[in-house]
Amino acid sequence: MYCQVVEEESISSVSRKNFITQPAVTKQIRQLENMYGTKLFERDKGSLVPTKTGRQLYKIFKRIVFEYNQSFTVIDELKGEEDSSLKLGSSFTIGEYLLPALLGAFKKIHPDVDINLEVGSTPRVLKSLKENQIGVGLVEGLVEEGDTFKVKKFAEDELILVCSPNHVLSDTEQTIEVADLIDQKLIGREKNSGTRMFIEHVLKEHDISENIEFYMEFGSTQAIKGAVEANLGIAILSELAVRTELTNGTLVKIPIKDLMFNRDLWIVQRKDRFINAIEKKFIDFLYNEKW
């Protein structure tokens, strides 16, 4: 209950969600404050905000709740009662262009599994992992392992430069130079996306990142493809995402001399989280899949 009050910043909201009265919620908060001998919340512009002590207590309680929920998963598996739900998170490119076929193949092997997939930016996937909303994250963005996550490569992806068949670069019979990108209208994802961060990282390694600006930014790869097909600019996109367009000729690949956008795709998990049986099977499936 305490954690919910911190997250909702409202006693009334928590009381509605739990079908109890506001005084009952307030009483629990007061009991905690009396027990610890300190104030845990303050009012700020109508919201209930935890004090410094309250924030620290929230972290401790979240950890207790996490371990409590973990205990059921561990005991159920020891009893032979496996959880059949697979909660995944993935960044956009993986979720939209790679996972549909993979999950279909996995479902054929394990027809009883219930798959829940959350697709979002790399930071969003990592946040969901931290909050234990998902068990496995699949991202193309750069992730620091640190004390929180364990990160392991499961596949590779190549990003390529593409343009409209009507674009001037589509007539190029040979590769272009890296410097030729400077004068082009480059269209890309938003700054916190895994693809955008990777592109900027590669450009920085070639000392040209400061000379290149993104002419347009979109929140989805599909929107970028549409803009490029409309000849509004060029884009660096995952080869996975543009296979159909390259085949039907609505997009054209532009080779760049001495510049490759090859990246690894990563499985990310919490180091302190128990990985259930179905998650282990899915991870093994990814490692054994032929790419």
Side-chain angles (χ1 to χ4, degrees), residues 122-141:
T122 295
R124 174 64 223 176
V125 173
L126 299 182
K127 184 174 184 292
S128 293
L129 278 170
K130 283 183 178 180
E131 296 177 353
N132 204 37
Q133 295 174 354
I134 59 174
V136 180
L138 305 172
V139 301
E140 66 266 12

Side-chain angles (χ1 to χ4, degrees), residues 33-192:
E33 289 181 330
N34 291 334
M35 184 172 65
Y36 287 106
T38 186
K39 193 173 183 179
L40 299 177
F41 289 95
E42 294 177 334
R43 285 284 178 184
D44 182 21
K45 299 178 181 179
S47 297
L48 204 60
V49 180
T51 61
K52 182 178 179 180
T53 305
R55 291 194 298 272
Q56 190 61 41
L57 192 63
Y58 170 76
K59 293 179 182 178
I60 295 172
F61 281 174
K62 285 292 283 187
R63 183 69 198 178
I64 292 172
V65 172
F66 172 73
E67 294 291 355
Y68 176 73
N69 291 332
Q70 285 275 92
S71 69
F72 286 97
T73 303
V74 174
I75 299 303
D76 284 345
E77 290 212 357
L78 289 174
K79 291 161 54 180
E81 301 172 1
E82 293 184 3
D83 186 354
S84 63
S85 62
L86 177 62
K87 296 180 180 179
L88 304 174
S90 80
S91 46
F92 287 104
T93 300
I94 296 174
E96 293 175 350
Y97 300 101
L98 183 61
L99 276 183
L102 284 175
L103 292 178
F106 183 73
K107 185 79 171 176
K108 288 181 180 179
I109 302 172
H110 304 282
D112 295 330
V113 65
D114 297 318
I115 300 175
N116 184 284
L117 173 62
E118 173 189 310
V119 180
S121 65
T122 295
R124 174 64 223 176
V125 173
L126 299 182
K127 184 174 184 292
S128 293
L129 278 170
K130 283 183 178 180
E131 296 177 353
N132 204 37
Q133 295 174 354
I134 59 174
V136 180
L138 305 172
V139 301
E140 66 266 12
L142 302 174
V143 180
E144 292 186 9
E145 189 166 279
D147 297 327
T148 304
F149 300 119
K150 54 181 176 181
V151 184
K152 191 170 182 180
K153 172 183 172 182
F154 75 94
E156 295 179 353
D157 181 32
E158 179 186 3
L159 275 67
I160 60 176
L161 183 65
V162 294
C163 70
S164 162
N166 299 318
H167 194 280
V168 63
L169 290 179
S170 68
D171 295 329
T172 304
E173 296 183 357
Q174 56 187 3
T175 58
I176 66 171
E177 300 288 337
V178 176
D180 293 333
L181 293 175
I182 296 174
D183 298 324
Q184 296 297 323
K185 294 179 178 179
L186 193 61
I187 302 172
R189 289 288 308 278
E190 69 279 13
K191 290 185 179 180
N192 69 339

